[in-house]
């Protein structure tokens, strides 16, 4: 049986719609769901295989995007949120009861500060930007995936038109490197 990558990927990728206005993310609790309202579409949506991003149960990848912090608000049951790892770069705010990650925020000096990290499969609305590439693909091995299966995983992404990387995509890696070079004074 083919491995399950992510519910937004396995059955083909549905392109987002133009001028999509955003929508609501909800956790998986049966009642008193944590609700986060996003007032725009997301950017740089992508699959992530790393061990820290939230993956739906039974799937190998997360689908994670960024959105300006000012477009993110917690609109219900925010008292159920806690920060998973206060020492991580991305402070992942998860529901204490069901474990779903509602949003990740960067507070320290960082190239992506000002952008929150969110998972659009937590929304019922259709039209979110579709995943653009797959990041941290080799990281699934660290979580116990058999390395012999990696050709199949990368092949499945490629067959859907998604490029695969073992870190972020080149433009995002360049943005991180530019930020580091400016910080150290190597670039003006
Ligand atoms: N191989 C590592 C990679 C972790 C990693 O670097 N994740 C990236 C993509 S989400 C990141 O930016 N992490 C910062 C953070 O999680 O705070 C793992 O799987 O845990
Ligand atoms: Zn919950
Ligand atoms: Zn990740």
């Amino acid at each position: 049986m083919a491995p399950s990558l992510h519910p937004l990927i396995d059955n083909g990728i549905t392109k987002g719609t133009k001028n999509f206005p955003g929508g609501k993310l909800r956790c998986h609790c049966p009642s008193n769901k944590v609700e986060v309202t996003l007032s725009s579409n997301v950017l740089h949506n992508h699959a992530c295989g790393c061990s820290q991003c939230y993956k739906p149960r039974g799937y190998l990848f997360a689908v994670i995007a960024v959105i300006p912090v000012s477009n993110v608000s917690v609109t219900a049951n925010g008292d159920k949120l806690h920060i998973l790892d206060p020492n991580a770069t991305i402070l992942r705010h998860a529901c204490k009861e069901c474990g779903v990650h509602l949003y990740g925020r960067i507070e320290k000096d960082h190239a992506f500060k000002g952008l929150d990290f969110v998972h659009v499969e937590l929304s019922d609305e259709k039209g979110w930007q579709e995943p653009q590439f797959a990041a941290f693909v080799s990281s699934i091995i660290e979580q116990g995936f058999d390395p012999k299966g990696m050709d199949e995983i990368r092949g499945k992404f490629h067959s859907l038109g998604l490029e695969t990387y073992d870190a972020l995509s080149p433009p995002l890696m360049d943005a991180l490197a530019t930020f580091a070079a400016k910080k150290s004074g190597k670039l003006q």
Side-chain angles (χ1 to χ4, degrees):
M1 209 179 74
S4 300
L5 303 184
H6 188 277
L8 293 179
I9 293 176
D10 288 335
N11 302 314
I13 287 169
T14 308
K15 287 232 188 285
T17 52
K18 256 203 188 130
N19 306 320
F20 179 70
K24 290 178 191 302
L25 310 181
R26 292 189 181 87
C27 79
H28 288 168
C29 285
S31 60
N32 301 322
K33 290 176 188 288
V34 183
E35 179 190 88
V36 168
T37 301
L38 306 182
S39 63
S40 72
N41 206 339
V42 295
L43 302 162
H44 301 297
N45 200 10
H46 64 281
C48 187
C50 95
S51 65
Q52 299 174 62
C53 285
Y54 168 76
K55 301 167 180 185
R57 192 186 297 273
Y59 293 89
L60 288 164
F61 286 82
V63 165
I64 186 146
V66 297
I67 178 169
V69 169
S70 57
N71 295 354
V72 178
S73 47
V74 179
T75 42
N77 298 303
D79 55 313
K80 289 166 76 173
L81 289 173
H82 71 145
I83 295 175
L84 276 183
D85 177 1
N87 297 314
T89 300
I90 302 171
L91 301 174
R92 294 177 173 83
H93 291 65
C95 175
K96 277 183 265 193
E97 287 176 22
C98 69
V100 163
H101 299 190
L102 276 302
Y103 68 98
R105 184 160 294 173
I106 298 178
E107 303 284 4
K108 68 180 190 189
D109 193 31
H110 190 278
F112 301 151
K113 187 175 180 185
L115 296 170
D116 276 353
F117 292 73
V118 292
H119 303 279
V120 299
E121 80 270 13
L122 301 176
S123 162
D124 293 331
E125 286 91 358
K126 303 285 170 236
W128 299 102
Q129 184 193 72
E130 72 282 4
Q132 314 272 301
F133 61 90
F136 292 93
V137 174
S138 58
S139 291
I140 65 172
I141 299 170
E142 294 174 38
Q143 296 146 71
F145 186 77
D146 182 350
K148 289 193 205 76
M150 293 306 288
D151 283 351
E152 186 183 4
I153 297 292
R154 291 191 176 91
K156 191 162 170 186
F157 280 120
H158 294 156
S159 74
L160 294 165
L162 299 194
E163 194 46 91
T164 57
Y165 305 108
D166 298 303
L168 289 171
S169 65
L172 296 181
M173 293 308 290
D174 288 356
L176 289 171
T178 303
F179 184 86
K182 285 187 173 160
K183 204 169 168 174
S184 71
K186 300 256 164 69
L187 272 181
Q188 287 307 305

